[in-house]
Amino acid sequence: PARDLITFSSADEIETITIYTMAGQLLEQQKPTAGKLNIAPLASGMYLLKVNLHSGKSETVKIIKE
C-alpha cells in the first residue's frame, strides 16, 4: 500500500500516468515528476494506473492507497 507518493522506473520515458477507479472512472492524468507520482489527494482504496510510455506502449497496474 502507498500513502503519498509512488515511485516509477522504466527503460523508456514515461509520458503520462492516468488514474482510474476500479469501476473504470477516469480521475486524473499526470506526468510523473522525477519518477514519482503524487497520490496524496486520493481517498483510501484501490485504483488502476495506466502508464503510457514514449514508445507508444502502455501498461496498467493496480495500486492500494492507504
Side-chain angles (χ1 to χ4, degrees):
R3 288 188 182 166
D4 298 322
L5 293 173
I6 296 177
T7 304
F8 286 90
S9 64
S10 173
D12 198 358
E13 180 184 351
I14 297 174
E15 288 284 318
T16 58
I17 297 176
T18 309
I19 304 172
Y20 296 93
T21 64
M22 291 302 291
Q25 178 186 5
L26 172 67
L27 294 178
E28 65 179 274
Q29 190 170 39
Q30 295 185 26
K31 179 159 176 81
T33 306
K36 297 184 189 245
L37 179 69
N38 181 14
I39 61 164
L42 298 177
S44 296
M46 293 175 55
Y47 296 91
L48 295 172
L49 303 183
K50 183 176 179 185
V51 181
N52 297 301
L53 302 175
H54 183 69
S55 64
K57 295 180 183 179
S58 67
E59 184 173 336
T60 302
V61 294
K62 187 184 330 182
I63 64 158
I64 299 172
K65 165 72 163 65
E66 281 188 347

